[in-house]
Amino acid sequence: MSLDQRFPSFAAMERKARRRVPKFAMDYLSGGIGREVGLARNRQVLDQIQLLPRYIMDEVPPETSTHFLGRYYSAPFGVAPLGFSGLMWPQAAEIMARAAKAHEVPFALSTFATTDLERARILAGEMAWFQLYTPNDPEVAETLIQRVEDAGYETLLVTVDIPAPTRRERDMANGLNLPPRLTLKTFWEIATRPSWALETLVKGSPEFKNLTPLVPPGTKLADAAAYFFDMTVSHISAEGLKRLRDRWPGRLIVKGILNADDAVLCKDIGADGLVLSNHGGRQLDAAPSSLEVLAQIRQVVGQDYPLIIDGGLRSGLDVARAIASGADFVLLGRAFIYAVAAIGQAGGNHAIHVLKEELASTMGQLGCPALADLPAFLRP
């Protein structure tokens, strides 16, 4: 049976992933914060977007490739940064990096990845982006940024939406740690997910590969995470962002913007683009979705300024909805990890294949020949 038969959609991949991954890891991946209203809102807003097809027209095959930020991509989507991805499935980042390179779409590696940034850059090649949680210690920040530059990354994705510690109730209830602390509860969850347990045994327990050189020698893994969280959870000032812009020689994208004033400030500082994001509904439960603020931010930054959105996307139809609504590009995170957890090594390639096929199908149904034409099919 082919992968298309077994996993025709991301919903099918998610169902399988939930049967293969321990609950504490799946809760971290799929959960939000508080009552998870923001998490639900991301999906609800997408579902409300309607596209109006045209059927009486000449046949034109849809073109789904794009040029974005000066580079060719085979589709208008990329792999969002997701910390701890190796906890959900061993070497998930490596799998997605290889797939992104093969399919010519961006792959963004998280600072809190369980894969070191040098290896990810080799695997993803020129498709690699690096997502930075900026340390508030200038020396530590410079050490990390220099590594990113030396590795050959051209695009830095600076996340600004972690100004204060959060209370994610699922993770607190699960006592989430990396590596997982073996209580009776976690032992049972692992024992009932033998595929995950065996893969983790073979590949090794996940570690914060990018953080190890930045913490005091001899620090335990769990303490290292706490050390770096404390160093990165804070507001970033306009001056700090300007210094980072001046320091970084490549493309700089600011991730986590929802406020129009922040968007204008970032543009004025010289950011090459923005990711409008509520951090997957994981930071503030009352925050709007990226699509709810897209029109306002587009109005203040102008039609030609690159805007990316993330949050809740699960299909090529969702990609089309976002582009039709005024986004230039989109990032997906959870969807790709569901695919890898469900399928393993072939998960990354299959996920990108499904998204491309769904996007082309949607555009074909609409009678839309090019991505730039999608806004014309948005139902008012």
Side-chain angles (χ1 to χ4, degrees):
M1 186 181 294
S2 70
L3 286 177
D4 271 336
Q5 288 176 294
R6 294 170 57 202
F7 302 106
S9 67
F10 281 94
M13 296 179 224
E14 181 178 351
R15 287 193 296 270
K16 181 66 172 181
R18 289 184 179 278
R19 296 196 296 269
R20 282 162 58 91
V21 177
K23 180 178 181 296
F24 61 82
M26 187 55 67
D27 278 353
Y28 173 79
L29 174 63
S30 62
I33 193 168
R35 293 172 50 225
E36 300 187 340
V37 174
L39 183 68
R41 182 183 294 117
N42 285 346
R43 186 63 250 170
Q44 290 164 358
V45 170
L46 276 161
D47 286 337
Q48 289 170 359
I49 296 171
Q50 296 182 8
L51 304 175
L52 199 59
R54 291 189 61 190
Y55 295 124
I56 312 301
M57 59 188 306
D58 294 336
E59 182 75 19
V60 180
E63 176 55 64
T64 60
S65 64
T66 185
H67 282 82
F68 182 65
L69 293 174
R71 183 173 290 280
Y72 168 86
Y73 295 112
S74 69
F77 60 78
V79 183
L82 203 154
F84 307 173
S85 62
L87 178 66
M88 274 66 77
W89 196 260
Q91 297 188 355
E94 287 95 327
I95 292 170
M96 287 311 311
R98 291 188 187 96
K101 181 180 180 180
H103 286 268
E104 295 183 288
V105 299
F107 166 80
L109 185 77
S110 170
T111 298
F112 284 98
T114 51
T115 300
D116 68 73
L117 63 92
E118 289 83 3
R119 175 166 169 75
R121 173 62 177 83
I122 292 169
L123 294 175
E126 294 181 345
M127 296 297 107
W129 297 359
F130 186 80
Q131 177 268 329
L132 177 71
Y133 287 116
T134 308
N136 49 42
D137 181 322
E139 291 185 10
V140 174
E142 175 57 27
T143 298
L144 182 57
I145 293 169
Q146 189 62 55
R147 280 181 64 196
V148 176
E149 185 177 354
D150 290 345
Y153 287 84
E154 297 177 356
T155 301
L156 193 66
L157 200 63
V158 182
T159 295
V160 297
D161 60 353
I162 53 166
T166 58
R167 290 174 56 86
R168 295 175 186 164
E169 295 172 19
R170 293 201 204 195
D171 297 342
M172 294 171 68
N174 289 326
L176 182 67
N177 288 279
L178 190 63
R181 184 177 297 131
L182 282 180
T183 64
L184 261 179
K185 180 182 177 184
T186 56
F187 180 81
W188 174 252
E189 291 178 9
I190 292 171
T192 56
R193 299 294 187 270
S195 296
W196 181 94
L198 180 60
E199 193 74 7
T200 300
L201 182 65
V202 171
K203 299 293 173 50
S205 183
E207 299 179 11
F208 297 112
K209 296 290 182 66
N210 295 314
L211 309 188
T212 303
L214 302 174
V215 297
T219 305
K220 294 180 180 179
L221 183 60
D223 295 334
Y227 172 86
F228 208 74
F229 278 134
D230 291 342
M231 190 179 290
T232 56
V233 174
S234 63
H235 283 279
I236 183 168
S237 67
E239 292 77 11
L241 192 59
K242 179 64 166 62
R243 285 194 299 271
L244 187 56
R245 171 65 283 182
D246 292 341
R247 164 65 182 84
W248 179 251
R251 292 181 291 270
L252 187 141
I253 303 171
V254 181
K255 182 178 184 294
I257 298 300
L258 292 172
N259 186 290
D261 291 339
D262 284 346
V264 171
L265 188 151
C266 290
K267 182 182 179 183
D268 290 345
I269 283 172
D272 295 294
L274 305 175
V275 180
L276 312 186
S277 173
N278 65 11
H279 212 102
R282 296 166 66 80
Q283 291 297 115
L284 176 66
D285 211 21
S289 77
S290 55
L291 281 167
E292 288 177 301
V293 300
L294 175 58
Q296 181 187 12
I297 291 179
R298 173 60 74 198
Q299 184 175 10
V300 299
V301 299
Q303 291 301 312
D304 297 329
Y305 191 67
L307 295 180
I308 306 169
I309 69 130
D310 70 8
L313 293 96
R314 293 290 186 275
S315 67
L317 170 59
D318 289 341
V319 174
R321 284 166 159 157
I323 303 298
S325 298
D328 298 299
F329 211 81
V330 305
L331 296 175
L332 299 90
R334 291 180 176 102
F336 287 123
I337 302 302
Y338 288 141
V340 171
I343 302 169
Q345 288 292 329
N349 283 315
H350 184 63
I352 297 173
H353 156 75
V354 169
L355 284 172
K356 285 182 172 180
E357 290 285 304
E358 289 176 340
L359 176 59
S361 175
T362 298
M363 292 173 66
Q365 288 293 320
L366 290 172
C368 177
L371 295 170
D373 298 320
L374 276 168
F377 295 87
L378 182 69
R379 186 184 180 193

